[in-house]
Amino acid sequence: MELEGSLNAIGYGLAAIGPGIGVGLIFGMGVQAIARQPEARGILQGQMIFGFAVVEALAILGFVLAFVL
């Protein structure tokens, strides 16, 4: 019985909760900031996209490491 592969998948599933919450916070706070200061939209959008990219990179790294190790 291959239990190690199942545990890796469960571990990644639990680890994916963090990036999911992070993406929600990034875009939620970004929309709130744009609603408060619409003139700063360009700067805030760039920061939101950069934050999203960093969080997703960490999620993909976790996915790869879950099945490599």
Coordinates of all heavy atoms in Angstrom, one line a residue:
M1 N 0.8 -1.2 0.0 CA 0.0 0.0 0.0 C 0.9 1.2 0.0 O 1.8 1.4 0.8 CB -0.9 0.0 1.3 CG -1.8 1.1 1.3 SD -3.1 0.8 2.5 CE -2.6 1.9 3.8
E2 N 0.6 2.2 -0.9 CA 1.4 3.4 -1.1 C 0.8 4.5 -0.2 O 0.0 5.2 -0.7 CB 1.5 3.8 -2.6 CG 2.4 5.0 -2.8 CD 3.8 4.7 -2.5 OE1 4.3 3.6 -2.7 OE2 4.5 5.7 -2.1
L3 N 1.3 4.6 1.0 CA 0.7 5.6 1.9 C 1.4 7.0 1.8 O 0.9 8.0 2.0 CB 0.8 5.1 3.3 CG 0.1 5.9 4.4 CD1 -1.4 6.0 4.1 CD2 0.3 5.3 5.8
E4 N 2.7 6.9 1.4 CA 3.5 8.1 1.3 C 2.9 9.1 0.3 O 2.8 10.3 0.5 CB 4.9 7.8 0.9 CG 5.8 9.0 0.9 CD 7.3 8.7 0.6 OE1 7.7 7.5 0.9 OE2 8.0 9.5 0.1
G5 N 2.5 8.7 -0.9 CA 1.9 9.6 -1.9 C 0.6 10.2 -1.4 O 0.4 11.4 -1.7
S6 N -0.2 9.5 -0.7 CA -1.4 10.0 -0.1 C -1.1 11.1 0.9 O -1.8 12.1 1.0 CB -2.2 8.9 0.5 OG -2.6 7.9 -0.5
L7 N -0.1 10.8 1.7 CA 0.2 11.8 2.8 C 0.8 13.1 2.1 O 0.5 14.2 2.6 CB 1.2 11.2 3.8 CG 0.7 10.2 4.7 CD1 1.7 9.6 5.6 CD2 -0.5 10.7 5.5
N8 N 1.5 13.0 1.0 CA 2.0 14.1 0.3 C 0.9 15.0 -0.2 O 0.9 16.2 -0.1 CB 2.9 13.7 -0.8 CG 4.3 13.3 -0.3 OD1 4.6 13.4 0.8 ND2 5.0 12.6 -1.2
A9 N -0.1 14.3 -0.8 CA -1.3 15.1 -1.3 C -2.1 15.8 -0.2 O -2.5 16.9 -0.4 CB -2.2 14.1 -2.1
I10 N -2.2 15.1 0.9 CA -3.0 15.7 2.0 C -2.1 16.9 2.5 O -2.7 17.9 2.8 CB -3.2 14.7 3.1 CG1 -4.3 13.7 2.6 CG2 -3.7 15.3 4.4 CD1 -4.4 12.5 3.5
G11 N -0.8 16.7 2.6 CA 0.0 17.8 3.1 C 0.0 19.0 2.2 O -0.1 20.2 2.7
Y12 N 0.0 18.8 0.9 CA -0.1 19.9 0.0 C -1.5 20.6 0.1 O -1.6 21.8 0.0 CB 0.2 19.5 -1.5 CG -0.1 20.7 -2.4 CD1 0.8 21.8 -2.3 CD2 -1.1 20.8 -3.2 CE1 0.5 22.9 -3.1 CE2 -1.4 21.9 -4.0 CZ -0.5 22.9 -3.9 OH -0.8 24.0 -4.7
G13 N -2.5 19.8 0.2 CA -3.9 20.3 0.3 C -4.0 21.2 1.5 O -4.6 22.3 1.5
L14 N -3.4 20.8 2.6 CA -3.4 21.7 3.8 C -2.5 22.9 3.6 O -2.9 24.0 4.1 CB -2.9 20.9 5.0 CG -3.9 19.8 5.5 CD1 -3.2 19.0 6.6 CD2 -5.2 20.4 6.0
A15 N -1.4 22.8 2.9 CA -0.5 23.9 2.7 C -1.1 24.9 1.7 O -0.7 26.1 1.7 CB 0.8 23.4 2.2
A16 N -2.0 24.5 0.9 CA -2.6 25.4 -0.1 C -3.6 26.4 0.5 O -4.0 27.3 -0.1 CB -3.3 24.6 -1.2
I17 N -4.0 26.1 1.8 CA -4.9 27.0 2.4 C -4.3 28.4 2.6 O -4.9 29.4 2.5 CB -5.4 26.4 3.8 CG1 -6.2 25.1 3.5 CG2 -6.1 27.4 4.6 CD1 -6.5 24.3 4.8
G18 N -3.0 28.4 3.0 CA -2.3 29.7 3.2 C -2.3 30.6 2.0 O -2.7 31.7 2.1
P19 N -1.8 30.1 0.9 CA -1.8 31.0 -0.3 C -3.2 31.4 -0.7 O -3.5 32.5 -1.2 CB -1.2 30.1 -1.4 CG -0.3 29.2 -0.7 CD -1.0 28.9 0.6
G20 N -4.2 30.5 -0.5 CA -5.6 30.9 -0.8 C -6.1 32.1 0.0 O -6.7 33.0 -0.5
I21 N -5.8 32.0 1.3 CA -6.1 33.1 2.2 C -5.3 34.4 1.8 O -5.8 35.5 1.8 CB -5.8 32.7 3.7 CG1 -6.8 31.7 4.1 CG2 -5.9 34.0 4.6 CD1 -6.5 31.0 5.4
G22 N -4.0 34.2 1.5 CA -3.2 35.3 1.1 C -3.7 36.0 -0.2 O -3.7 37.3 -0.2
V23 N -4.1 35.3 -1.2 CA -4.7 35.9 -2.4 C -5.9 36.7 -2.1 O -6.2 37.8 -2.6 CB -4.9 34.8 -3.5 CG1 -5.7 35.4 -4.6 CG2 -3.6 34.3 -4.0
G24 N -6.8 36.1 -1.2 CA -8.0 36.8 -0.9 C -7.7 38.1 -0.1 O -8.4 39.1 -0.4
L25 N -6.8 38.1 0.8 CA -6.4 39.3 1.5 C -5.8 40.3 0.5 O -6.1 41.5 0.6 CB -5.4 39.0 2.6 CG -6.0 38.3 3.8 CD1 -4.9 37.9 4.8 CD2 -7.0 39.1 4.5
I26 N -4.9 39.9 -0.4 CA -4.3 40.8 -1.3 C -5.3 41.6 -2.1 O -5.3 42.8 -2.2 CB -3.3 40.1 -2.2 CG1 -2.1 39.7 -1.4 CG2 -2.9 41.0 -3.4 CD1 -1.2 38.7 -2.1
F27 N -6.2 40.8 -2.7 CA -7.2 41.5 -3.6 C -8.3 42.2 -2.8 O -8.8 43.2 -3.3 CB -7.8 40.5 -4.6 CG -6.8 40.2 -5.7 CD1 -6.2 38.9 -5.8 CD2 -6.5 41.1 -6.7 CE1 -5.3 38.6 -6.7 CE2 -5.6 40.8 -7.7 CZ -5.0 39.6 -7.7
G28 N -8.7 41.7 -1.7 CA -9.7 42.3 -0.9 C -9.2 43.7 -0.4 O -9.9 44.7 -0.5
M29 N -8.0 43.7 0.1 CA -7.4 45.0 0.6 C -7.1 45.9 -0.5 O -7.2 47.1 -0.4 CB -6.2 44.7 1.5 CG -6.4 44.0 2.7 SD -7.5 45.0 3.8 CE -7.9 43.8 5.1
G30 N -6.7 45.3 -1.7 CA -6.4 46.2 -2.8 C -7.7 46.9 -3.3 O -7.6 48.1 -3.7
V31 N -8.8 46.2 -3.4 CA -10.0 46.8 -3.9 C -10.5 47.8 -2.9 O -11.0 48.9 -3.3 CB -11.1 45.7 -4.1 CG1 -12.5 46.3 -4.3 CG2 -10.8 44.8 -5.3
Q32 N -10.3 47.6 -1.6 CA -10.7 48.5 -0.6 C -9.8 49.8 -0.7 O -10.3 50.9 -0.6 CB -10.5 47.9 0.8 CG -11.0 48.8 1.9 CD -10.9 48.1 3.3 OE1 -10.1 47.1 3.4 NE2 -11.6 48.6 4.2
A33 N -8.5 49.6 -0.9 CA -7.7 50.8 -1.1 C -8.0 51.6 -2.3 O -8.0 52.8 -2.3 CB -6.2 50.3 -1.1
I34 N -8.3 50.9 -3.4 CA -8.7 51.6 -4.6 C -10.0 52.4 -4.4 O -10.2 53.5 -5.0 CB -8.8 50.7 -5.8 CG1 -7.4 50.2 -6.2 CG2 -9.4 51.3 -7.1 CD1 -7.3 49.0 -7.2
A35 N -10.9 51.8 -3.7 CA -12.2 52.5 -3.4 C -12.0 53.7 -2.6 O -12.7 54.7 -2.7 CB -13.2 51.5 -2.7
R36 N -11.0 53.7 -1.7 CA -10.7 54.9 -0.9 C -10.0 56.0 -1.6 O -10.2 57.1 -1.4 CB -9.9 54.5 0.4 CG -10.7 53.7 1.4 CD -9.8 53.2 2.5 NE -10.5 52.3 3.4 CZ -10.7 52.6 4.7 NH1 -10.1 53.6 5.2 NH2 -11.3 51.7 5.4
Q37 N -9.0 55.5 -2.5 CA -8.2 56.5 -3.3 C -8.2 56.1 -4.7 O -7.2 55.4 -5.1 CB -6.8 56.6 -2.7 CG -6.7 57.4 -1.4 CD -5.3 57.7 -1.1 OE1 -4.4 56.8 -1.2 NE2 -5.0 58.9 -0.7
P38 N -9.2 56.4 -5.5 CA -9.2 56.0 -6.9 C -8.0 56.5 -7.7 O -7.6 55.9 -8.7 CB -10.5 56.5 -7.4 CG -11.3 56.9 -6.2 CD -10.4 57.1 -5.1
E39 N -7.5 57.6 -7.4 CA -6.4 58.2 -8.1 C -5.1 57.4 -8.0 O -4.2 57.5 -8.8 CB -6.1 59.6 -7.7 CG -5.6 59.9 -6.3 CD -6.7 60.0 -5.3 OE1 -7.9 59.8 -5.6 OE2 -6.3 60.2 -4.1
A40 N -5.0 56.5 -7.0 CA -3.8 55.7 -6.8 C -4.0 54.3 -7.4 O -3.2 53.4 -7.1 CB -3.5 55.6 -5.3
R41 N -4.9 54.1 -8.3 CA -5.3 52.8 -8.9 C -4.1 52.2 -9.6 O -3.8 51.0 -9.4 CB -6.4 53.0 -9.8 CG -6.8 51.7 -10.5 CD -8.1 52.0 -11.4 NE -8.4 50.8 -12.1 CZ -8.5 50.7 -13.4 NH1 -8.3 51.7 -14.1 NH2 -8.8 49.5 -13.9
G42 N -3.3 52.9 -10.4 CA -2.2 52.3 -11.1 C -1.2 51.8 -10.3 O -0.7 50.6 -10.5
I43 N -0.8 52.5 -9.2 CA 0.3 52.0 -8.3 C -0.2 50.8 -7.5 O 0.5 49.8 -7.4 CB 0.7 53.2 -7.3 CG1 1.3 54.3 -8.1 CG2 1.6 52.7 -6.3 CD1 1.5 55.6 -7.3
L44 N -1.5 50.9 -7.1 CA -2.0 49.8 -6.3 C -2.2 48.5 -7.1 O -1.9 47.4 -6.6 CB -3.3 50.2 -5.6 CG -3.2 51.3 -4.6 CD1 -4.6 51.8 -4.2 CD2 -2.5 50.8 -3.4
Q45 N -2.6 48.6 -8.3 CA -2.8 47.5 -9.2 C -1.4 46.7 -9.4 O -1.4 45.5 -9.4 CB -3.4 47.8 -10.5 CG -4.9 47.8 -10.5 CD -5.5 48.0 -11.8 OE1 -4.9 48.6 -12.7 NE2 -6.7 47.5 -12.0
G46 N -0.4 47.5 -9.6 CA 0.9 46.9 -9.8 C 1.4 46.2 -8.5 O 1.9 45.0 -8.6
Q47 N 1.2 46.7 -7.4 CA 1.5 46.1 -6.1 C 0.7 44.8 -5.9 O 1.2 43.8 -5.4 CB 1.4 47.1 -5.0 CG 2.4 48.2 -5.0 CD 2.2 49.2 -3.9 OE1 1.2 49.2 -3.3 NE2 3.2 50.0 -3.7
M48 N -0.6 44.9 -6.2 CA -1.5 43.7 -6.1 C -1.0 42.6 -7.0 O -1.0 41.4 -6.5 CB -2.9 44.1 -6.4 CG -3.6 44.9 -5.4 SD -5.2 45.5 -5.9 CE -6.0 44.2 -6.8
I49 N -0.7 42.9 -8.2 CA -0.2 41.8 -9.1 C 1.1 41.2 -8.6 O 1.3 40.0 -8.7 CB -0.2 42.4 -10.5 CG1 -1.6 42.7 -11.0 CG2 0.6 41.4 -11.5 CD1 -1.6 43.4 -12.3
F50 N 2.0 42.1 -8.2 CA 3.3 41.6 -7.6 C 3.1 40.7 -6.4 O 3.6 39.6 -6.3 CB 4.2 42.7 -7.3 CG 5.5 42.3 -6.7 CD1 6.5 41.7 -7.5 CD2 5.8 42.4 -5.4 CE1 7.7 41.2 -7.0 CE2 7.0 41.9 -4.8 CZ 7.9 41.4 -5.6
G51 N 2.2 41.1 -5.5 CA 1.9 40.3 -4.3 C 1.3 39.0 -4.7 O 1.6 37.9 -4.1
F52 N 0.4 39.0 -5.7 CA -0.3 37.8 -6.2 C 0.7 36.8 -6.7 O 0.7 35.6 -6.5 CB -1.4 38.1 -7.2 CG -1.9 36.9 -7.9 CD1 -2.8 36.1 -7.3 CD2 -1.6 36.6 -9.2 CE1 -3.4 35.0 -7.9 CE2 -2.1 35.6 -9.9 CZ -3.0 34.7 -9.2
A53 N 1.7 37.3 -7.5 CA 2.7 36.5 -8.2 C 3.6 35.8 -7.1 O 3.9 34.7 -7.2 CB 3.6 37.3 -9.1
V54 N 3.9 36.6 -6.1 CA 4.8 36.0 -5.0 C 4.0 34.9 -4.3 O 4.6 33.8 -4.0 CB 5.2 37.1 -4.0 CG1 5.9 36.5 -2.8 CG2 6.2 38.1 -4.7
V55 N 2.8 35.1 -3.9 CA 2.0 34.1 -3.2 C 1.8 32.9 -4.1 O 1.9 31.8 -3.6 CB 0.7 34.7 -2.8 CG1 -0.3 33.7 -2.3 CG2 0.9 35.8 -1.7
E56 N 1.5 33.1 -5.3 CA 1.3 31.9 -6.2 C 2.6 31.2 -6.4 O 2.6 29.9 -6.6 CB 0.7 32.3 -7.5 CG -0.8 32.7 -7.4 CD -1.6 31.5 -6.9 OE1 -1.5 30.4 -7.5 OE2 -2.4 31.7 -6.0
A57 N 3.7 31.9 -6.5 CA 5.0 31.2 -6.6 C 5.3 30.3 -5.4 O 5.8 29.2 -5.6 CB 6.1 32.2 -6.8
L58 N 5.0 30.8 -4.3 CA 5.1 29.9 -3.1 C 4.2 28.7 -3.1 O 4.6 27.6 -2.7 CB 4.9 30.8 -1.8 CG 6.0 31.9 -1.6 CD1 5.6 32.7 -0.4 CD2 7.3 31.2 -1.3
A59 N 3.0 28.9 -3.6 CA 2.1 27.8 -3.7 C 2.6 26.7 -4.7 O 2.5 25.5 -4.4 CB 0.7 28.3 -4.1
I60 N 3.1 27.2 -5.8 CA 3.6 26.2 -6.8 C 4.9 25.5 -6.2 O 5.1 24.3 -6.5 CB 3.9 27.0 -8.1 CG1 2.6 27.4 -8.7 CG2 4.7 26.1 -9.1 CD1 2.7 28.4 -9.9
L61 N 5.7 26.3 -5.5 CA 6.9 25.7 -4.9 C 6.5 24.6 -3.9 O 7.0 23.5 -3.9 CB 7.7 26.7 -4.2 CG 9.0 26.3 -3.6 CD1 10.0 25.8 -4.6 CD2 9.6 27.4 -2.8
G62 N 5.4 24.9 -3.1 CA 4.9 23.9 -2.2 C 4.4 22.6 -2.9 O 4.6 21.5 -2.5
F63 N 3.7 22.8 -4.0 CA 3.2 21.7 -4.8 C 4.3 20.9 -5.3 O 4.3 19.6 -5.2 CB 2.4 22.3 -6.0 CG 1.8 21.2 -6.9 CD1 0.8 20.4 -6.5 CD2 2.4 21.0 -8.2 CE1 0.3 19.4 -7.3 CE2 1.9 20.0 -9.0 CZ 0.9 19.2 -8.6
V64 N 5.4 21.5 -5.8 CA 6.5 20.7 -6.4 C 7.2 19.9 -5.3 O 7.5 18.8 -5.4 CB 7.5 21.6 -7.1 CG1 8.8 20.9 -7.5 CG2 6.8 22.2 -8.4
L65 N 7.5 20.6 -4.2 CA 8.2 20.0 -3.0 C 7.4 18.9 -2.4 O 7.9 17.9 -1.9 CB 8.6 21.0 -2.0 CG 9.7 22.0 -2.5 CD1 10.0 23.0 -1.4 CD2 10.9 21.2 -2.8
A66 N 6.0 19.0 -2.4 CA 5.2 17.9 -1.8 C 5.4 16.6 -2.5 O 5.3 15.5 -1.9 CB 3.7 18.3 -1.9
F67 N 5.7 16.6 -3.8 CA 5.8 15.4 -4.6 C 7.2 15.0 -4.9 O 7.5 13.9 -5.4 CB 5.0 15.5 -5.9 CG 3.5 15.5 -5.6 CD1 2.8 16.7 -5.7 CD2 2.8 14.4 -5.1 CE1 1.5 16.8 -5.4 CE2 1.5 14.5 -4.8 CZ 0.8 15.7 -5.0
V68 N 8.2 15.9 -4.6 CA 9.6 15.5 -4.9 C 10.2 14.9 -3.7 O 10.9 13.9 -3.8 CB 10.4 16.8 -5.3 CG1 11.8 16.5 -5.3 CG2 9.9 17.3 -6.6
L69 N 9.9 15.4 -2.5 CA 10.5 14.9 -1.3 C 9.8 13.7 -0.8 O 8.8 13.3 -1.0 CB 10.5 16.0 -0.2 CG 11.2 17.3 -0.5 CD1 11.1 18.3 0.6 CD2 12.7 17.0 -0.7

